[in-house]
């Protein structure tokens, strides 16, 4: 199942540019979510964004209050290419596209949990 | 982006370009030009006695951050008002300490910038911007900051995140030399304020959150050529190499030991004191069982060749990321030549600076990772506070940032007090198996939950180590501290408040909101007999204590506004 999703992800990523906005091809299965958290920690994201991505000197990645609406494409591009002029580097050389989507899957799951917690 | 020198040539420089001495002498600007007298060894050696300038990051070779200026006092400090503000043009951690030489301020900013300005008016003389690689941010654990510059002769020196050390002409900002001393792709990065000793520009390295082996360099101030390099971790066959255990044959080769806080210098003893940081991986000690020399130590160095005369190690086998890199303040206390060092491990140390021997260590904040010291000064470890893969050490005090975080304290010899920016925060820690890849984080941590605590500013007696007073605050004091002969201590907060305290009682006397968190250090200087106080403002850096998660340290800070401004204050003139 995971492999199928991965292939789908790669097809989506490799698809024609400028057409449909990028969307996360991965589903929030527990294994993918757990892998996302692991990748987040290993990559050092926690140094700026905090242990649970709830923000430190870098912004909270688990709420809905990014600079703009946090679309999948925006989050993906920010992780992949960074934000020029800030401390946010691009991680294109460190993470594969699939790994970036895996991290995003975990972040989305954290966002979901937060929303459920306040219901 | 290319270096951008000299945005607007000051009047005096244009005048000199004409080469007309008579004309130059006739213009007001020319008077300023004459003030660019070379900074000599004699000036640096007597910096503590000269009240008007601020010639090096710690103000003097002892690193006291004590200003002899006394016009601003507890009685009149409420009349302190801003004279001007100067935008640093960048965001993120503004960790700098400005310098002032004969009315000219040299101030570094985050992201590789430095400025010269009229310290009286805030008018920019020149700026220099070093182009940084796009991805430098991820090679710096704790933001793209810079801690300040150094001046000597006709030059100003500063280090850049990508491990360049650059010399500029003080008068024009033109580049004289630019040398690369580390490989930033391996996280050998720089944030340190250099120290000039006997014509050599001494600098240290950041990067011990990544697998690398770090050093202190001395460079020729005229050319940038390396005079000596002192690795802080011994190589095979050198004394101390056997303190890295035999679990991992490459542990010491990637063992960290950073040197990113400026050292101090005793010209009478001719000893350079420079402290070293944590081993890598930070929390996973299983592959490096031993003392891990010379991490978490202060080294007593021969400034001519970098050889080690002696050392004192604050935290052997650090598995808490206590680091040990903080400053050493040289003081003559109770008839003894000592250094004072406030450590992230929670202790204020007094060490004999003639030989590195332990005198005492006193708690700045609550400490429970150690239960005491041997007579030789070795900490006695509380075993239940040692995190391993299968033991989550609960309520370890202090958390990894202290105690006292890196921001420098101040020693006031007049009042016999050391004022320490501090916090009371503990943490639960579970170590994790580390994965060593060059250029990648290697923290060795599985779980870290900070426990809610508070900030404090602590005044301690350097003779006895007793606390004279303590100011409690909602969050840690994150600035350096300035004390003055006027009887004041100045410090800043993450909330952006720049505050003045009575040195005798700790009573808060004055406060000014700077608009962003303060993580740099205040200074004081005088021009035409008038005392000024300056402080950089601009939030950033590593703030695990505040917001890393778990039970939280000071979560109200997580959306703190960024900024980049130097504020300069003076007493209101009626």
């Amino acid at each position: 199942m995971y492999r199928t999703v991965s292939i789908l992800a790669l097809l989506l990523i490799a698809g024609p540019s400028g057409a449909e906005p990028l969307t996360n091809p991965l589903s929030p299965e527990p294994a993918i979510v757990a892998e996302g958290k692991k990748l987040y920690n290993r990559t050092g994201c926690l140094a700026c964004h905090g242990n649970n991505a709830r923000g430190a000197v870098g912004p909270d990645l688990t709420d809905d209050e990014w600079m703009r609406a946090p679309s999948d494409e925006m989050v993906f591009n920010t992780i992949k290419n960074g934000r020029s002029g800030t401390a946010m580097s691009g991680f294109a050389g460190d993470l594969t596209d699939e790994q970036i989507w895996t991290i995003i899957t975990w972040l989305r799951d954290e966002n979901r949990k937060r929303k459920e917690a306040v219901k | 982006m290319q270096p951008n020198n000299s945005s607007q040539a000051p009047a005096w420089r244009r005048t000199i370009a004409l080469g007309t001495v008579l004309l130059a002498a006739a213009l007001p600007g020319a008077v300023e030009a004459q003030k660019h007298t070379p900074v000599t060894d004699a000036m640096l050696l007597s910096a503590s006695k000269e009240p008007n300038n601020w010639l090096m990051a710690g103000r003097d070779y002892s690193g006291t951050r004590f200003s002899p200026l006394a016009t601003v006092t507890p009685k009149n400090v409420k009349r302190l008002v801003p004279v001007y503000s100067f935008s640093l043009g960048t965001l993120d951690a503004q960790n700098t300490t400005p310098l002032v030489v004969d009315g000219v301020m040299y101030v570094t900013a985050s992201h590789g910038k430095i400025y010269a300005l009229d310290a009286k008016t805030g008018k920019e003389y020149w700026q220099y911007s070093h182009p940084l690689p796009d991805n430098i941010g991820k090679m710096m654990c704790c933001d793209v900051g810079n801690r300040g510059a150094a001046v000597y002769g006709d030059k100003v020196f500063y280090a850049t995140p990508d491990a360049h050390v650059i010399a500029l002409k003080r008068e024009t900002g033109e580049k004289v030399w630019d040398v690369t001393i580390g490989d930033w792709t391996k996280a050998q990065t720089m944030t340190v304020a250099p120290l000039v000793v006997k014509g050599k520009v001494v600098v240290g390295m950041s990067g011990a959150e990544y697998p690398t082996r770090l050093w202190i360099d001395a460079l020729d101030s005229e050319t940038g050529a390396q005079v000596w390099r002192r690795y802080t971790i011994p190589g095979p066959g050198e004394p101390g190499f056997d303190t890295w255990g035999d679990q991992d044959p490459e542990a010491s080769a990637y063992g960290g030991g950073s040197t990113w806080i400026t050292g101090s210098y005793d010209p009478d003893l001719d000893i350079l004191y420079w402290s070293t940081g944590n081993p890598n991986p930070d929390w996973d000690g299983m592959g490096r069982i031993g003392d891990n020399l010379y991490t978490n130590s202060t080294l007593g160095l021969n400034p001519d060749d970098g050889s080690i005369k002696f050392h004192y190690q604050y935290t052997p086998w650090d598995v808490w990321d206590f680091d040990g890199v903080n400053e050493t303040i040289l003081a003559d206390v109770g008839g003894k030549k000592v250094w004072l060092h406030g450590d992230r491990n929670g202790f204020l140390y007094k060490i004999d600076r003639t030989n590195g021997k332990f005198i005492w260590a006193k708690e700045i904040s609550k400490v429970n990772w150690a239960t005491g010291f041997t007579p030789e000064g070795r900490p006695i470890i509380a075993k239940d506070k040692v995190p391993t893969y299968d033991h989550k050490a609960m309520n370890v005090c202090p958390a990894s940032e202290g105690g006292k975080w890196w921001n420098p304290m101040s020693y006031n010899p007049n009042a016999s007090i050391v004022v320490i920016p501090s916090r009371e925060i503990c943490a639960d820690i579970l170590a994790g198996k580390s994965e060593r890849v060059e250029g990648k984080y290697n923290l060795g941590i599985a779980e870290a939950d900070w426990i809610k605590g508070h900030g404090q500013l602590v005044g301690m007696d350097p003779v006895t180590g007793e606390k004279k007073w303590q100011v409690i605050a909602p969050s840690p004091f994150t600035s350096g501290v300035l004390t003055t002969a006027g009887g004041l201590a100045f410090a800043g907060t993450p909330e952006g408040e720049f505050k003045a305290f009575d040195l005798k009682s700790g009573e808060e006397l004055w406060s000014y909101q700077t608009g962003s968190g303060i993580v740099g250090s205040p200074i004081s200087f005088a021009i035409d007999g008038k005392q000024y106080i300056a402080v950089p403002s601009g939030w950033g850096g590593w703030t695990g204590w505040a917001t890393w998660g778990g039970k939280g340290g000071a979560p109200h800070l997580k959306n703190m506004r960024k900024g980049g401004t130097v504020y300069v204050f003076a007493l209101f003139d009626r």
Side-chain angles (χ1 to χ4, degrees), chain B residues 57-217:
Chain B
R59 192 175 189 280
D60 47 52
Y61 274 140
S62 295
T64 62
R65 295 181 184 261
F66 162 70
S67 168
L69 295 169
T71 308
V72 183
T73 68
K75 285 188 176 174
N76 63 21
V77 69
K78 287 195 187 312
R79 289 171 43 214
L80 214 51
V81 293
V83 178
Y84 65 86
S85 61
F86 182 86
S87 170
L88 293 169
T90 61
L91 300 178
D92 301 314
Q94 306 294 359
N95 292 138
T96 194
T97 300
L99 304 180
V100 173
V101 187
D102 295 339
V104 179
M105 179 183 289
Y106 303 93
V107 59
T108 61
S110 59
H111 295 275
K113 293 182 80 96
I114 182 170
Y115 300 86
L117 56 140
D118 184 332
K120 187 174 180 179
T121 65
K123 179 185 175 185
E124 180 182 308
Y125 287 152
W126 53 257
Q127 62 172 279
Y128 183 90
S129 182
H130 173 74
L132 291 176
D134 277 345
N135 288 330
I136 189 67
K138 66 183 173 186
M139 293 298 169
M140 305 185 76
C141 72
C142 310
D143 217 338
V144 195
N146 180 280
R147 295 185 165 82
V151 286
Y152 186 65
D154 61 349
K155 302 179 192 65
V156 56
F157 311 90
Y158 83 117
T160 69
D162 56 342
H164 288 238
V165 182
I166 296 173
L168 306 171
K169 287 185 181 174
R170 286 171 47 212
E171 193 173 323
T172 62
E174 292 172 75
K175 186 162 67 182
V176 181
W177 52 257
D178 176 344
V179 297
T180 306
I181 69 166
D183 182 349
W184 70 269
T185 67
K186 296 178 179 173
Q188 295 161 356
T189 56
M190 297 185 81
T191 60
V192 72
L195 182 72
V196 177
V197 175
K198 300 168 81 172
K200 293 180 278 291
V201 182
V202 186
V203 291
M205 304 299 296
S206 303
E209 274 57 57
Y210 307 76
T212 185
R213 177 181 177 233
L214 296 165
W215 60 84
I216 303 160
D217 264 8

Side-chain angles (χ1 to χ4, degrees), chain A residues 16-29:
Chain A
S17 60
E20 293 299 313
L22 289 176
T23 55
N24 188 351
L26 304 181
S27 57
E29 296 168 30

Side-chain angles (χ1 to χ4, degrees), chain B residues 220-411:
Chain B
D220 184 305
S221 63
E222 283 300 309
T223 65
Q226 185 187 104
V227 180
W228 53 258
R229 170 166 293 187
R230 163 52 50 196
Y231 280 97
T232 59
I233 297 173
E238 293 180 320
F241 180 71
D242 58 355
T243 63
W244 286 81
D246 54 9
Q247 301 79 27
D248 175 357
E250 293 196 302
S252 64
Y254 295 97
S258 49
T259 50
W260 43 275
I261 292 292
T262 309
S264 45
Y265 173 61
D266 185 327
D268 295 330
L269 298 172
D270 197 26
I271 297 174
L272 172 67
Y273 303 85
W274 208 284
S275 299
T276 66
N278 58 277
N280 184 268
D282 304 46
W283 284 277
D284 177 8
M286 294 300 106
R288 50 175 177 79
I289 295 175
D291 283 359
N292 304 151
L293 291 174
Y294 294 97
T295 60
N296 292 330
S297 303
T298 292
L299 305 176
L301 300 170
N302 180 337
D304 296 327
D305 61 11
S307 59
I308 299 175
K309 296 186 176 188
F310 52 77
H311 78 280
Y312 176 79
Q313 188 175 38
Y314 305 102
T315 312
W317 193 55
D318 181 5
V319 290
W320 305 273
D321 189 25
F322 279 149
D323 226 319
V325 75
N326 288 352
E327 74 283 4
T328 52
I329 295 182
L330 312 186
D332 294 342
V333 178
K336 286 192 172 178
K337 290 178 179 291
V338 305
W339 83 65
L340 301 168
H341 170 94
D343 202 280
R344 280 165 58 177
N345 70 18
F347 289 109
L348 174 69
Y349 289 84
K350 186 156 89 171
I351 308 290
D352 185 330
R353 76 171 184 268
T354 66
N355 55 22
K357 300 293 185 192
F358 175 83
I359 299 173
W360 52 242
K362 305 286 184 181
E363 291 185 9
I364 304 167
S365 61
K366 181 183 176 185
V367 175
N368 63 17
W369 67 274
T371 57
F373 288 84
T374 66
E376 295 75 31
R378 187 179 180 83
I380 301 164
I381 307 300
K383 289 182 180 171
D384 67 318
K385 302 302 179 190
V386 175
T388 63
Y389 302 149
D390 52 11
H391 171 64
K392 188 168 187 176
M394 303 301 288
N395 193 34
V396 178
C397 303
S400 67
E401 66 281 7
K404 178 191 172 290
W405 184 227
W406 72 268
N407 308 85
M409 58 192 191
S410 175
Y411 166 61

Side-chain angles (χ1 to χ4, degrees), chain A residues 41-68:
Chain A
N41 284 347
R42 191 190 305 155
T43 310
C45 313
L46 77 178
C48 294
H49 297 286
N51 198 20
N52 293 315
R54 294 202 172 193
V57 291
D60 190 332
L61 305 178
T62 66
D63 61 18
D64 292 328
E65 299 173 15
W66 284 42
M67 291 176 72
R68 299 180 187 84

Side-chain angles (χ1 to χ4, degrees), chain B residues 17-35:
Chain B
L18 293 173
T20 309
V21 174
L22 184 61
L23 177 60
L27 295 174
V31 176
E32 289 183 285
Q34 289 171 5
K35 288 181 179 176

